Structure formats: structure tokens, C-alpha cells
């Protein structure tokens, strides 16, 4: 029985660290001083519109220290909606 538990624990650890598990977590970034929404979009190769949708923003205004959700390629930007604060 202890061997079976060890095998199960190893299997769970492998699944938790797999690329599939990583792809399921939203990618978040902290806005740096001087960043603009366009600069963040360019840095992560997403559109400004997708960043706005993923974060529920009504404008392009962001502030240093703010955390933004960055949609992954092929992901629906609204699927992992951020704070929804709307600036």
C-alpha cells in the first residue's frame, strides 16, 4: 500500500507541474512604472483589445503596481476576466 501512495503522489506532482496545468492558470503581470497598455500588449504579443477584455477595462488607462491578466495565445480573453474595475 505505501508504494501505491508513493506512485499516486508522484503522478499528482507530475500533473500539477505539466505544461497543461500551466496553460490552465491565468498569466498575470504587474504594471511597471511608465508602462502603457500598448506597451504591455506588445511585450506579451497580445492585442490591446484582448488585454482590455481580459481585465474588464473600459479605457487604456493603467497604473504602476496594478496586476493585469494577460490572455494566452488561443485563449478567449474574457475567459479569465480580471478585476473588472474599468478605468
Amino acid at each position: 500500500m505505501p508504494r501505491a501512495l508513493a506512485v499516486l503522489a508522484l503522478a499528482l506532482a507530475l500533473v500539477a507541474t505539466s505544461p497543461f496545468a500551466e496553460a490552465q492558470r491565468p498569466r498575470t503581470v504587474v504594471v511597471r512604472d511608465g508602462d502603457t497598455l500598448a506597451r504591455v500588449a506588445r511585450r506579451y504579443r497580445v492585442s490591446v483589445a484582448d488585454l482590455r477584455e481580459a481585465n474588464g477595462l473600459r479605457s487604456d488607462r493603467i497604473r504602476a503596481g496594478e496586476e493585469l491578466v494577460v490572455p494566452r495565445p488561443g485563449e478567449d480573453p474574457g475567459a479569465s476576466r480580471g478585476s473588472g474595475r474599468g478605468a
Side-chain angles (χ1 to χ4, degrees), residues 22-66:
E22 175 66 26
Q24 299 306 304
R25 286 191 292 258
R27 177 171 50 171
T28 59
V29 299
V30 177
V31 177
R32 301 177 199 167
D33 193 37
D35 271 348
T36 63
L37 203 59
R39 186 174 292 155
V40 173
R42 223 177 5 262
R43 186 180 305 138
Y44 293 97
R45 294 186 168 95
V46 296
S47 71
V48 170
D50 284 352
L51 271 180
R52 288 178 69 192
E53 184 177 346
N55 291 281
L57 301 174
R58 289 181 283 172
S59 76
D60 291 353
R61 199 164 133 190
I62 56 175
R63 295 181 301 265
E66 188 173 356

Side-chain angles (χ1 to χ4, degrees), residues 1-14:
M1 187 67 143
R3 181 177 165 96
L5 287 175
V7 170
L8 178 60
L10 177 62
L12 289 173
L14 289 173

